[in-house]
Amino acid sequence: MKEGNYAIYHQEYIIMAEYRMLQTENLPGIYVIPSHENSFLWYGVIFVRSGIYGGGVFRFTLTLPEKFPDDIVPTVTFTSPIFHPAVESTTGILNLKEVFPQWDRKQNHIWQILKYLHWIFQNLNMKVPVNNEASMLLKKNRKSFIEKVKECIAASVEHVYDDPPTDDKHYITFKPYDPSIHDNARNMMLKPSNTNESSHGISWVQSGSYQSFTKEDTT
């Protein structure tokens, strides 16, 4: 195998291992998956369940730098409009500099970014806000701040069922509940398991293995 090809394969392996780590972390209400076309682009959705932003369903993308993990900090960009001191109003980019001034491959992982993403919806006071309007209203006119947040929540819910803006097979989509389609799946999920084995669904890396593109052999 040529050195360049090996480097690409090794990088893909690292990205897949990062994705596998997410299954071991407590990331309530957060769903992410790498793009089918580009493993450096991840699609995500967070369902905020409590606090001022409770009820919001905010979409975001996570973009890995070209030389990940030996590069700059990955970028989180909200594609749903969101009014928050830590989110740039014009770009939707989440400010990660407070917690990740630089990226250390030995210390930092993608799950930590997602933990922080969850944290900001319960902790609004940023040391260095990137949306000054949101920060000012939060401190001086909380009522107006909450009104703007409610507008974002309403807009996010209104667009939950929108058609995907891309043909990517891994873009996360939602459909209204249809009993004729979903009741059977719901009943299967609620049915008690007959085994003690835990299931994490299909993964790029088999549980207990570090071999790429594997899944449990059921034969």
mmCIF file of all heavy atoms in Angstrom, residues 167-202:
data_model
loop_
_atom_site.group_PDB
_atom_site.id
_atom_site.type_symbol
_atom_site.label_atom_id
_atom_site.label_comp_id
_atom_site.label_asym_id
_atom_site.label_seq_id
_atom_site.Cartn_x
_atom_site.Cartn_y
_atom_site.Cartn_z
ATOM 1 N N ASP A 167 -29.029 15.718 -1.400
ATOM 2 C CA ASP A 167 -29.361 14.336 -1.759
ATOM 3 C C ASP A 167 -28.576 13.328 -0.924
ATOM 4 O O ASP A 167 -28.703 12.122 -1.146
ATOM 5 C CB ASP A 167 -29.049 14.095 -3.242
ATOM 6 C CG ASP A 167 -29.973 14.890 -4.157
ATOM 7 O OD1 ASP A 167 -31.123 15.144 -3.755
ATOM 8 O OD2 ASP A 167 -29.543 15.257 -5.273
ATOM 9 N N ASP A 168 -27.779 13.793 0.015
ATOM 10 C CA ASP A 168 -26.966 12.897 0.837
ATOM 11 C C ASP A 168 -27.863 11.911 1.589
ATOM 12 O O ASP A 168 -28.820 12.304 2.261
ATOM 13 C CB ASP A 168 -26.147 13.706 1.844
ATOM 14 C CG ASP A 168 -25.016 12.905 2.462
ATOM 15 O OD1 ASP A 168 -25.319 11.919 3.168
ATOM 16 O OD2 ASP A 168 -23.834 13.240 2.243
ATOM 17 N N LYS A 169 -27.544 10.623 1.468
ATOM 18 C CA LYS A 169 -28.369 9.567 2.068
ATOM 19 C C LYS A 169 -28.370 9.616 3.593
ATOM 20 O O LYS A 169 -29.259 9.042 4.226
ATOM 21 C CB LYS A 169 -27.876 8.200 1.598
ATOM 22 C CG LYS A 169 -28.002 7.970 0.102
ATOM 23 C CD LYS A 169 -27.437 6.613 -0.282
ATOM 24 C CE LYS A 169 -27.531 6.382 -1.779
ATOM 25 N NZ LYS A 169 -26.943 5.075 -2.173
ATOM 26 N N HIS A 170 -27.379 10.260 4.192
ATOM 27 C CA HIS A 170 -27.275 10.289 5.644
ATOM 28 C C HIS A 170 -27.824 11.569 6.268
ATOM 29 O O HIS A 170 -27.724 11.733 7.483
ATOM 30 C CB HIS A 170 -25.817 10.089 6.072
ATOM 31 C CG HIS A 170 -25.345 8.682 5.920
ATOM 32 N ND1 HIS A 170 -24.072 8.291 6.239
ATOM 33 C CD2 HIS A 170 -25.985 7.562 5.498
ATOM 34 C CE1 HIS A 170 -23.935 6.995 6.001
ATOM 35 N NE2 HIS A 170 -25.088 6.535 5.551
ATOM 36 N N TYR A 171 -28.382 12.444 5.466
ATOM 37 C CA TYR A 171 -28.986 13.642 6.040
ATOM 38 C C TYR A 171 -30.164 13.214 6.914
ATOM 39 O O TYR A 171 -30.997 12.399 6.510
ATOM 40 C CB TYR A 171 -29.456 14.594 4.949
ATOM 41 C CG TYR A 171 -29.970 15.901 5.484
ATOM 42 C CD1 TYR A 171 -29.080 16.924 5.809
ATOM 43 C CD2 TYR A 171 -31.327 16.110 5.674
ATOM 44 C CE1 TYR A 171 -29.552 18.132 6.314
ATOM 45 C CE2 TYR A 171 -31.803 17.307 6.176
ATOM 46 C CZ TYR A 171 -30.909 18.321 6.497
ATOM 47 O OH TYR A 171 -31.379 19.508 7.004
ATOM 48 N N ILE A 172 -30.227 13.744 8.120
ATOM 49 C CA ILE A 172 -31.249 13.320 9.089
ATOM 50 C C ILE A 172 -32.589 13.967 8.743
ATOM 51 O O ILE A 172 -32.701 15.195 8.683
ATOM 52 C CB ILE A 172 -30.827 13.699 10.522
ATOM 53 C CG1 ILE A 172 -29.491 13.031 10.869
ATOM 54 C CG2 ILE A 172 -31.901 13.276 11.523
ATOM 55 C CD1 ILE A 172 -28.907 13.478 12.204
ATOM 56 N N THR A 173 -33.586 13.136 8.517
ATOM 57 C CA THR A 173 -34.920 13.631 8.183
ATOM 58 C C THR A 173 -35.952 13.077 9.155
ATOM 59 O O THR A 173 -35.732 12.055 9.807
ATOM 60 C CB THR A 173 -35.322 13.242 6.750
ATOM 61 O OG1 THR A 173 -35.327 11.810 6.636
ATOM 62 C CG2 THR A 173 -34.351 13.824 5.736
ATOM 63 N N PHE A 174 -37.083 13.754 9.234
ATOM 64 C CA PHE A 174 -38.179 13.329 10.110
ATOM 65 C C PHE A 174 -39.487 13.352 9.337
ATOM 66 O O PHE A 174 -39.669 14.171 8.424
ATOM 67 C CB PHE A 174 -38.288 14.256 11.328
ATOM 68 C CG PHE A 174 -37.032 14.326 12.150
ATOM 69 C CD1 PHE A 174 -36.142 15.380 11.992
ATOM 70 C CD2 PHE A 174 -36.726 13.332 13.063
ATOM 71 C CE1 PHE A 174 -34.984 15.456 12.732
ATOM 72 C CE2 PHE A 174 -35.565 13.388 13.806
ATOM 73 C CZ PHE A 174 -34.692 14.452 13.646
ATOM 74 N N LYS A 175 -40.381 12.438 9.692
ATOM 75 C CA LYS A 175 -41.708 12.376 9.093
ATOM 76 C C LYS A 175 -42.757 12.400 10.203
ATOM 77 O O LYS A 175 -42.521 11.893 11.298
ATOM 78 C CB LYS A 175 -41.864 11.087 8.276
ATOM 79 C CG LYS A 175 -40.897 10.944 7.105
ATOM 80 C CD LYS A 175 -41.166 11.978 6.021
ATOM 81 C CE LYS A 175 -40.229 11.779 4.832
ATOM 82 N NZ LYS A 175 -40.445 12.821 3.789
ATOM 83 N N PRO A 176 -43.920 12.987 9.940
ATOM 84 C CA PRO A 176 -44.993 12.958 10.942
ATOM 85 C C PRO A 176 -45.365 11.521 11.297
ATOM 86 O O PRO A 176 -45.277 10.627 10.451
ATOM 87 C CB PRO A 176 -46.150 13.679 10.235
ATOM 88 C CG PRO A 176 -45.496 14.500 9.175
ATOM 89 C CD PRO A 176 -44.302 13.723 8.726
ATOM 90 N N TYR A 177 -45.784 11.319 12.538
ATOM 91 C CA TYR A 177 -46.124 9.971 12.991
ATOM 92 C C TYR A 177 -47.341 9.452 12.227
ATOM 93 O O TYR A 177 -48.382 10.097 12.170
ATOM 94 C CB TYR A 177 -46.427 9.974 14.484
ATOM 95 C CG TYR A 177 -46.515 8.589 15.092
ATOM 96 C CD1 TYR A 177 -45.388 7.979 15.619
ATOM 97 C CD2 TYR A 177 -47.718 7.893 15.122
ATOM 98 C CE1 TYR A 177 -45.450 6.707 16.168
ATOM 99 C CE2 TYR A 177 -47.800 6.628 15.657
ATOM 100 C CZ TYR A 177 -46.657 6.039 16.186
ATOM 101 O OH TYR A 177 -46.732 4.776 16.722
ATOM 102 N N ASP A 178 -47.164 8.279 11.627
ATOM 103 C CA ASP A 178 -48.234 7.621 10.887
ATOM 104 C C ASP A 178 -48.436 6.240 11.503
ATOM 105 O O ASP A 178 -47.591 5.363 11.372
ATOM 106 C CB ASP A 178 -47.844 7.489 9.416
ATOM 107 C CG ASP A 178 -48.951 6.873 8.566
ATOM 108 O OD1 ASP A 178 -49.862 6.227 9.138
ATOM 109 O OD2 ASP A 178 -48.905 7.021 7.334
ATOM 110 N N PRO A 179 -49.572 6.036 12.222
ATOM 111 C CA PRO A 179 -49.788 4.752 12.911
ATOM 112 C C PRO A 179 -49.655 3.539 12.002
ATOM 113 O O PRO A 179 -49.130 2.505 12.419
ATOM 114 C CB PRO A 179 -51.222 4.885 13.448
ATOM 115 C CG PRO A 179 -51.429 6.358 13.588
ATOM 116 C CD PRO A 179 -50.668 6.977 12.443
ATOM 117 N N SER A 180 -50.102 3.651 10.760
ATOM 118 C CA SER A 180 -50.043 2.500 9.857
ATOM 119 C C SER A 180 -48.608 2.117 9.508
ATOM 120 O O SER A 180 -48.325 0.977 9.150
ATOM 121 C CB SER A 180 -50.808 2.808 8.563
ATOM 122 O OG SER A 180 -50.186 3.858 7.841
ATOM 123 N N ILE A 181 -47.692 3.075 9.649
ATOM 124 C CA ILE A 181 -46.285 2.812 9.337
ATOM 125 C C ILE A 181 -45.461 2.591 10.592
ATOM 126 O O ILE A 181 -44.645 1.672 10.672
ATOM 127 C CB ILE A 181 -45.687 3.988 8.523
ATOM 128 C CG1 ILE A 181 -46.418 4.134 7.186
ATOM 129 C CG2 ILE A 181 -44.188 3.785 8.297
ATOM 130 C CD1 ILE A 181 -45.983 5.352 6.388
ATOM 131 N N HIS A 182 -45.712 3.416 11.615
ATOM 132 C CA HIS A 182 -44.802 3.471 12.748
ATOM 133 C C HIS A 182 -45.231 2.658 13.969
ATOM 134 O O HIS A 182 -44.400 2.379 14.833
ATOM 135 C CB HIS A 182 -44.615 4.938 13.180
ATOM 136 C CG HIS A 182 -44.052 5.797 12.082
ATOM 137 N ND1 HIS A 182 -44.692 6.921 11.601
ATOM 138 C CD2 HIS A 182 -42.914 5.679 11.346
ATOM 139 C CE1 HIS A 182 -43.968 7.479 10.648
ATOM 140 N NE2 HIS A 182 -42.893 6.734 10.458
ATOM 141 N N ASP A 183 -46.514 2.282 14.054
ATOM 142 C CA ASP A 183 -46.957 1.543 15.238
ATOM 143 C C ASP A 183 -46.206 0.223 15.410
ATOM 144 O O ASP A 183 -45.830 -0.156 16.525
ATOM 145 C CB ASP A 183 -48.473 1.270 15.173
ATOM 146 C CG ASP A 183 -49.279 2.406 15.783
ATOM 147 O OD1 ASP A 183 -48.664 3.371 16.271
ATOM 148 O OD2 ASP A 183 -50.528 2.325 15.775
ATOM 149 N N ASN A 184 -46.010 -0.491 14.325
ATOM 150 C CA ASN A 184 -45.321 -1.775 14.404
ATOM 151 C C ASN A 184 -43.892 -1.612 14.915
ATOM 152 O O ASN A 184 -43.437 -2.356 15.793
ATOM 153 C CB ASN A 184 -45.306 -2.456 13.032
ATOM 154 C CG ASN A 184 -44.747 -3.867 13.103
ATOM 155 O OD1 ASN A 184 -45.148 -4.654 13.957
ATOM 156 N ND2 ASN A 184 -43.824 -4.194 12.209
ATOM 157 N N ALA A 185 -43.203 -0.608 14.395
ATOM 158 C CA ALA A 185 -41.827 -0.352 14.848
ATOM 159 C C ALA A 185 -41.812 0.074 16.307
ATOM 160 O O ALA A 185 -40.943 -0.351 17.086
ATOM 161 C CB ALA A 185 -41.185 0.723 13.980
ATOM 162 N N ARG A 186 -42.785 0.880 16.702
ATOM 163 C CA ARG A 186 -42.863 1.333 18.092
ATOM 164 C C ARG A 186 -43.079 0.153 19.030
ATOM 165 O O ARG A 186 -42.426 0.044 20.083
ATOM 166 C CB ARG A 186 -44.007 2.332 18.237
ATOM 167 C CG ARG A 186 -44.243 2.819 19.662
ATOM 168 C CD ARG A 186 -45.374 3.846 19.684
ATOM 169 N NE ARG A 186 -45.619 4.325 21.024
ATOM 170 C CZ ARG A 186 -46.430 3.737 21.891
ATOM 171 N NH1 ARG A 186 -47.083 2.618 21.529
ATOM 172 N NH2 ARG A 186 -46.609 4.235 23.101
ATOM 173 N N ASN A 187 -43.984 -0.743 18.654
ATOM 174 C CA ASN A 187 -44.260 -1.898 19.501
ATOM 175 C C ASN A 187 -43.045 -2.812 19.630
ATOM 176 O O ASN A 187 -42.789 -3.387 20.698
ATOM 177 C CB ASN A 187 -45.446 -2.686 18.933
ATOM 178 C CG ASN A 187 -46.747 -1.911 19.025
ATOM 179 O OD1 ASN A 187 -46.889 -1.034 19.883
ATOM 180 N ND2 ASN A 187 -47.696 -2.215 18.155
ATOM 181 N N MET A 188 -42.288 -2.940 18.551
ATOM 182 C CA MET A 188 -41.086 -3.772 18.587
ATOM 183 C C MET A 188 -40.034 -3.176 19.520
ATOM 184 O O MET A 188 -39.353 -3.888 20.263
ATOM 185 C CB MET A 188 -40.511 -3.931 17.177
ATOM 186 C CG MET A 188 -41.345 -4.807 16.257
ATOM 187 S SD MET A 188 -40.618 -4.955 14.603
ATOM 188 C CE MET A 188 -39.081 -5.800 14.991
ATOM 189 N N MET A 189 -39.926 -1.847 19.500
ATOM 190 C CA MET A 189 -38.941 -1.187 20.368
ATOM 191 C C MET A 189 -39.330 -1.272 21.835
ATOM 192 O O MET A 189 -38.474 -1.353 22.717
ATOM 193 C CB MET A 189 -38.771 0.274 19.948
ATOM 194 C CG MET A 189 -38.010 0.451 18.647
ATOM 195 S SD MET A 189 -37.637 2.177 18.271
ATOM 196 C CE MET A 189 -39.254 2.772 17.784
ATOM 197 N N LEU A 190 -40.638 -1.277 22.103
ATOM 198 C CA LEU A 190 -41.107 -1.329 23.486
ATOM 199 C C LEU A 190 -41.172 -2.754 24.035
ATOM 200 O O LEU A 190 -41.291 -2.951 25.235
ATOM 201 C CB LEU A 190 -42.498 -0.684 23.595
ATOM 202 C CG LEU A 190 -42.559 0.822 23.319
ATOM 203 C CD1 LEU A 190 -44.009 1.304 23.351
ATOM 204 C CD2 LEU A 190 -41.715 1.595 24.317
ATOM 205 N N LYS A 191 -41.068 -3.735 23.143
ATOM 206 C CA LYS A 191 -41.132 -5.127 23.560
ATOM 207 C C LYS A 191 -39.885 -5.502 24.355
ATOM 208 O O LYS A 191 -38.763 -5.233 23.915
ATOM 209 C CB LYS A 191 -41.249 -6.037 22.334
ATOM 210 C CG LYS A 191 -41.424 -7.509 22.672
ATOM 211 C CD LYS A 191 -41.572 -8.337 21.390
ATOM 212 C CE LYS A 191 -41.731 -9.813 21.711
ATOM 213 N NZ LYS A 191 -41.880 -10.624 20.465
ATOM 214 N N PRO A 192 -40.045 -6.122 25.531
ATOM 215 C CA PRO A 192 -38.877 -6.508 26.341
ATOM 216 C C PRO A 192 -37.959 -7.452 25.569
ATOM 217 O O PRO A 192 -38.412 -8.339 24.846
ATOM 218 C CB PRO A 192 -39.500 -7.217 27.551
ATOM 219 C CG PRO A 192 -40.895 -6.710 27.618
ATOM 220 C CD PRO A 192 -41.308 -6.465 26.195
ATOM 221 N N SER A 193 -36.665 -7.248 25.712
ATOM 222 C CA SER A 193 -35.684 -8.096 25.034
ATOM 223 C C SER A 193 -35.578 -9.430 25.733
ATOM 224 O O SER A 193 -35.675 -9.528 26.960
ATOM 225 C CB SER A 193 -34.323 -7.403 25.006
ATOM 226 O OG SER A 193 -33.343 -8.249 24.458
ATOM 227 N N ASN A 194 -35.344 -10.492 24.962
ATOM 228 C CA ASN A 194 -35.195 -11.832 25.530
ATOM 229 C C ASN A 194 -33.750 -12.176 25.837
ATOM 230 O O ASN A 194 -33.449 -13.256 26.325
ATOM 231 C CB ASN A 194 -35.763 -12.880 24.559
ATOM 232 C CG ASN A 194 -37.269 -12.741 24.393
ATOM 233 O OD1 ASN A 194 -37.965 -12.397 25.339
ATOM 234 N ND2 ASN A 194 -37.755 -13.000 23.185
ATOM 235 N N THR A 195 -32.854 -11.253 25.520
ATOM 236 C CA THR A 195 -31.441 -11.510 25.771
ATOM 237 C C THR A 195 -30.875 -10.435 26.676
ATOM 238 O O THR A 195 -31.479 -9.380 26.884
ATOM 239 C CB THR A 195 -30.635 -11.528 24.457
ATOM 240 O OG1 THR A 195 -30.636 -10.198 23.911
ATOM 241 C CG2 THR A 195 -31.245 -12.489 23.460
ATOM 242 N N ASN A 196 -29.716 -10.717 27.212
ATOM 243 C CA ASN A 196 -29.034 -9.750 28.074
ATOM 244 C C ASN A 196 -28.042 -8.901 27.298
ATOM 245 O O ASN A 196 -27.350 -8.058 27.859
ATOM 246 C CB ASN A 196 -28.281 -10.485 29.194
ATOM 247 C CG ASN A 196 -29.239 -11.180 30.150
ATOM 248 O OD1 ASN A 196 -30.318 -10.656 30.435
ATOM 249 N ND2 ASN A 196 -28.852 -12.354 30.637
ATOM 250 N N GLU A 197 -27.955 -9.161 25.996
ATOM 251 C CA GLU A 197 -27.003 -8.429 25.188
ATOM 252 C C GLU A 197 -27.560 -7.052 24.850
ATOM 253 O O GLU A 197 -28.735 -6.887 24.584
ATOM 254 C CB GLU A 197 -26.702 -9.193 23.889
ATOM 255 C CG GLU A 197 -26.043 -10.556 24.122
ATOM 256 C CD GLU A 197 -25.780 -11.262 22.806
ATOM 257 O OE1 GLU A 197 -26.122 -10.669 21.762
ATOM 258 O OE2 GLU A 197 -25.243 -12.368 22.829
ATOM 259 N N SER A 198 -26.678 -6.082 24.891
ATOM 260 C CA SER A 198 -27.066 -4.732 24.516
ATOM 261 C C SER A 198 -26.866 -4.548 23.026
ATOM 262 O O SER A 198 -25.981 -5.150 22.435
ATOM 263 C CB SER A 198 -26.235 -3.695 25.284
ATOM 264 O OG SER A 198 -24.868 -3.833 24.975
ATOM 265 N N SER A 199 -27.709 -3.720 22.441
ATOM 266 C CA SER A 199 -27.612 -3.487 21.002
ATOM 267 C C SER A 199 -27.365 -2.020 20.740
ATOM 268 O O SER A 199 -28.023 -1.156 21.284
ATOM 269 C CB SER A 199 -28.913 -3.910 20.315
ATOM 270 O OG SER A 199 -28.884 -3.558 18.968
ATOM 271 N N HIS A 200 -26.407 -1.737 19.887
ATOM 272 C CA HIS A 200 -26.110 -0.362 19.519
ATOM 273 C C HIS A 200 -26.437 -0.112 18.059
ATOM 274 O O HIS A 200 -26.086 0.918 17.513
ATOM 275 C CB HIS A 200 -24.624 -0.064 19.764
ATOM 276 C CG HIS A 200 -24.220 -0.171 21.194
ATOM 277 N ND1 HIS A 200 -24.593 0.757 22.138
ATOM 278 C CD2 HIS A 200 -23.475 -1.095 21.845
ATOM 279 C CE1 HIS A 200 -24.079 0.421 23.310
ATOM 280 N NE2 HIS A 200 -23.409 -0.693 23.157
ATOM 281 N N GLY A 201 -27.101 -1.068 17.406
ATOM 282 C CA GLY A 201 -27.386 -0.902 15.998
ATOM 283 C C GLY A 201 -26.163 -1.209 15.154
ATOM 284 O O GLY A 201 -25.157 -1.699 15.641
ATOM 285 N N ILE A 202 -26.268 -0.919 13.876
ATOM 286 C CA ILE A 202 -25.152 -1.179 12.977
ATOM 287 C C ILE A 202 -24.118 -0.072 13.116
ATOM 288 O O ILE A 202 -24.459 1.094 13.113
ATOM 289 C CB ILE A 202 -25.643 -1.273 11.522
ATOM 290 C CG1 ILE A 202 -26.585 -2.474 11.370
ATOM 291 C CG2 ILE A 202 -24.477 -1.396 10.557
ATOM 292 C CD1 ILE A 202 -27.170 -2.600 9.990
#
